[in-house]
Amino acid sequence: MKRAVLWFVQACRKLLQKRLSAGLCLLVALGLGLWLVTGLYTLPAPLAGRDFSQVICDRQGKLLRIALTRDDKYRLRMPLSALPTWALNKILDYEDRWFWQHPGVNVFALLRSCGSMLLGGRRMGGSTLTMQTVRLAYGLVTNTLWGKCQQIFLALCLERQYSKAEILEAYFNLAPYGGNVEGLASAAQIYFHKSPQQLSRLEAEALMLVPQNPVLRRPSTRNRHFLEALRRTLTDGEEAASLRIYGVEDLPFSAPHLCQELLASREPDKNAGKAKAGEKIQTTLDLGRQKLLETHLARYIARHKAFGISNGAILLVHWPTMEVRASVGSAGFQDQEIQGQIDATRVRRSPGSTLKPLIYALALEQGLIHPMTLLYDTPKSFQGYDPENFDHTFRGPVSAREALASSRNVPAIALAQKLKNPDLYAFLQKAHVAFAKSRDHYGLALVLGGAEVTMRELASLYAMLANRGVWKPLRFVEGGESGQGSSLLSPEAAFVTLTMLEDSLGGHSLTTQGGGTVPVRWKTGTSNGFRDAWTCGVIGPYVLVVWFGNFDNRANPLLVGGRLAQPLFFELAQALAWSEPMHDYLASPWPGLGVEKIAVCRVTGDIDTSLCRDQVETWFIPGVSPVRSSGILRRIYVTEEGYQACVPDEGQETVWEFWPSDLALMFQRAGVYKAPPPPFEPQCAREEPGLPPRITSPKLGLTYYASINAGGVASLVLAAQADAGVRQLRWFVNGQYLGETAPGRSLSVQLAPGLHHLLVCDENNRSSVRKLRILSTK
């Protein structure tokens, strides 16, 4: 600073020594003084603290959304290098041809402008690009003498402190282009749906005209002021009418829910005063898939509008990469009647039966079942919880595969009750399902959708099955961290579960683009009270989740997964299969997978098929899958008199089906007669192998109360089911004989308060016991 002052004083002395005119000395002194002062005045960078619009694109770079800045502008960040040299030269030739030579102010242009105004001629612009940049960057009011002087001074300061390239870059990011559009990149994108590099010469010339008068020259084929100015600049005969010009109203607004979420997650802290960086967010979405799903959902809702169906959501995940390729959060983002701005993919809803595949997967891993294991779909009480099936019927004995495919409730709950380390609750916790309550709060109702989950959580669970039992988080942004996966299931259990999800009634396959077929593995779900309808499944490389419901939780009898969500699921699945090459990732077992196909008995699921004529193949996990016999098929010897022989080989050998009494009754009601086995010869006196009686009443885990009106005792009904061939059951309490009943028949008793030991015994001395607690009412 001191050296600069000394230099200025010495320069003045030399001028005086040469006896120059006082006026010229004064002018030189003023110039040198101004130069000195502009070096002392520090200006912040012209783009410092400026907000820029965030841009959201799909995985291929297609535009999904341009966000407004906090001052409600469309302002895209653009480096100067993004502008082609020919376009830069064209704009400089039009706006400020002496830009590279002047120090920020063109004195001759200012004098020319002042002279024109004083003589009453046409108003001519005298501002350089540097002066315009100063006005835009620092918010100057330049229509007064003082304001113009400020502009000139700050333009000189700006040129002293920043390079010409930095000034040009600031100008092209701040120049007004009509309405709330600022910056050349924003104008190119909004008016021509192009980047600055993609602009044609005619388009570049059209935008070049706007900053001089952005109000009158806002680009539009209906704006005569803009078209007249453009025609005056055309030199190659091109017609202004040939331009295709868009507007702000034509900007894309795709995937609004996800875009809104991403913008909110990157919103800077307003209290910290940080500006938006104007970053480009490249999502994992596929715009083509997004529009496909949105279109199908809108048409499907329109077809069902008369039935009160107004809202739904869809999520599509590419499970090999865990990238979300489409996310439709509601049937209409702007529809206030359905609260359309709520994102259904993030809302916690009851999943109905869509969690059942995970129960079977855990049961497979823990060696409880293989796909053909026999399960009982019969009335059963679970500590006072008496579940029913959706169709209010029971099918009796069913294979595990059929039980899952037909979504039977009792078999699923019975399996869930047997799961250990982990049970379903702990497993879902490991899969990052955020439960609101404890395990005890949900109990076995968790199996049927008693706990709420999100669409995203469901999608990640089904993707885990496809990813060989490894859970991974969903990905929404390209290039982001995929996150560490965690192995929750064995690859064998995951593979077999997916094969079980193929429809046991013949399967459902999609026709692919190349004319082949791809099977679908899916599960439906309906929440209690008809408030949510779901279908989730794996289709080639995708996991697809479809949901219907209402954000205000209104019920609708049509909100049934198999009736409402499943048809759209298959409609979308077929559209995806037609739109791209697709193959079945499960056409054969994964490499290194420890599974094999074996023959089992079709009727009982037994591995030992020596007594079974009707056999079927099923997947089997060696060393894990159960090998125990069901005990249904037994070899007996029948004498000529029709009795079972006491000693083997004394009668004719035959194989008999030994069905428990409750299942035999269900067969009978269905019109299928299962003959009971013949009785033993009278002289036989020994305990026979078979199933012990099963007490069905009183229910396990319940506490009963004595009634004051009944004299302080509890009135109970005793009932039990028994093995095939059992005709009588004997009942005892605390060692005291109570009476006899046939299997499935009831016996009424009265018991005093206290702890009682109940025993039931069949004629072959097979027995079951149950502890019973009766409390007195006070």
Side-chain angles (χ1 to χ4, degrees), residues 373-378 394-400 402-403 411 603-604 632 659-660 662-664 666-667 674:
T373 296
L374 196 64
L375 303 177
Y376 293 163
D377 181 27
T378 58
F394 296 94
R395 297 187 181 179
V398 292
S399 68
E402 182 184 350
V603 176
T604 65
I632 301 297
W659 293 101
D662 53 343
L663 296 179
M666 295 191 71
F667 280 125
K674 296 289 185 180

Side-chain angles (χ1 to χ4, degrees), residues 586-659:
L586 297 175
S588 59
W590 299 315
L593 202 64
V595 297
E596 60 184 55
K597 271 196 170 182
I598 65 169
V600 298
C601 184
R602 184 187 298 272
V603 176
T604 65
D606 289 339
I607 304 299
D608 181 5
T609 58
S610 60
L611 303 180
C612 183
R613 296 180 179 178
D614 189 7
Q615 300 175 17
V616 65
E617 283 194 333
T618 190
W619 289 108
F620 187 80
I621 307 175
V624 177
S625 296
V627 296
R628 62 186 177 274
S629 171
S630 64
I632 301 297
L633 296 180
R634 304 177 198 171
R635 182 181 285 108
I636 66 173
Y637 297 87
V638 182
T639 66
E640 294 180 358
E641 293 79 11
Y643 291 103
Q644 286 192 54
C646 297
V647 180
D649 301 328
E650 288 187 353
Q652 183 178 358
E653 179 182 328
T654 185
V655 176
W656 208 279
E657 295 182 13
F658 282 71
W659 293 101

Side-chain angles (χ1 to χ4, degrees), residues 372-702:
M372 292 302 294
T373 296
L374 196 64
L375 303 177
Y376 293 163
D377 181 27
T378 58
K380 189 173 181 180
S381 178
F382 299 88
Q383 297 183 352
Y385 176 42
D386 301 320
E388 291 185 340
N389 290 305
F390 182 79
D391 57 6
H392 304 291
T393 65
F394 296 94
R395 297 187 181 179
V398 292
S399 68
R401 180 188 181 104
E402 182 184 350
L404 176 57
S406 56
S407 197
R408 310 314 289 174
N409 290 338
V410 174
I413 295 173
L415 282 177
Q417 193 178 40
K418 298 176 182 178
L419 296 177
K420 296 179 180 178
N421 300 322
D423 61 4
L424 180 61
Y425 184 89
F427 175 83
L428 294 176
Q429 276 191 319
K430 290 180 181 179
H432 300 266
V433 174
F435 288 115
K437 304 289 184 180
S438 67
R439 174 189 281 102
D440 293 337
H441 174 82
Y442 300 116
L444 292 174
L446 178 62
V447 176
L448 306 182
E452 296 176 332
V453 300
T454 67
M455 288 184 74
R456 295 180 180 183
E457 290 170 344
L458 268 181
S460 66
L461 289 169
Y462 278 71
M464 177 268 300
L465 294 175
N467 277 311
R468 301 171 64 97
V470 177
W471 181 91
K472 298 177 183 178
L474 299 180
R475 295 180 57 213
F476 298 92
V477 179
E478 288 280 359
E481 291 293 331
S482 60
Q484 292 296 322
S486 52
S487 180
L488 302 184
L489 279 174
S490 68
E492 292 79 9
F495 173 82
V496 176
T497 302
L498 286 173
T499 64
M500 291 172 65
L501 284 175
E502 293 182 43
D503 188 4
S504 62
L505 302 178
H508 191 111
S509 296
L510 306 173
T511 303
T512 64
Q513 190 182 72
T517 60
V518 172
V520 184
R521 299 167 177 95
W522 85 99
K523 183 72 188 72
T524 61
T526 304
S527 66
N528 187 35
F530 302 102
R531 290 177 171 83
D532 303 271
W534 299 87
T535 300
C536 315
V538 179
I539 312 152
Y542 295 115
V543 168
L544 179 63
V545 184
V546 176
W547 169 85
F548 285 98
N550 299 297
F551 292 136
D552 60 7
N553 222 29
R554 281 182 293 111
N556 187 322
L558 197 59
L559 287 174
V560 177
R563 298 176 186 170
L564 186 65
Q566 181 177 308
L568 178 60
F569 176 89
F570 279 108
E571 182 180 311
L572 295 171
Q574 186 59 76
L576 290 169
W578 279 334
S579 66
E580 64 178 87
M582 190 178 290
H583 67 276
D584 181 19
Y585 286 77
L586 297 175
S588 59
W590 299 315
L593 202 64
V595 297
E596 60 184 55
K597 271 196 170 182
I598 65 169
V600 298
C601 184
R602 184 187 298 272
V603 176
T604 65
D606 289 339
I607 304 299
D608 181 5
T609 58
S610 60
L611 303 180
C612 183
R613 296 180 179 178
D614 189 7
Q615 300 175 17
V616 65
E617 283 194 333
T618 190
W619 289 108
F620 187 80
I621 307 175
V624 177
S625 296
V627 296
R628 62 186 177 274
S629 171
S630 64
I632 301 297
L633 296 180
R634 304 177 198 171
R635 182 181 285 108
I636 66 173
Y637 297 87
V638 182
T639 66
E640 294 180 358
E641 293 79 11
Y643 291 103
Q644 286 192 54
C646 297
V647 180
D649 301 328
E650 288 187 353
Q652 183 178 358
E653 179 182 328
T654 185
V655 176
W656 208 279
E657 295 182 13
F658 282 71
W659 293 101
S661 57
D662 53 343
L663 296 179
L665 181 60
M666 295 191 71
F667 280 125
Q668 184 178 349
R669 289 173 178 172
V672 178
Y673 179 67
K674 296 289 185 180
F680 280 93
E681 293 178 300
Q683 64 270 29
C684 297
R686 59 188 176 89
E687 185 175 337
E688 294 298 325
L691 300 176
R694 179 169 55 87
I695 299 174
T696 59
S697 177
K699 295 177 180 179
L700 181 65
L702 293 188

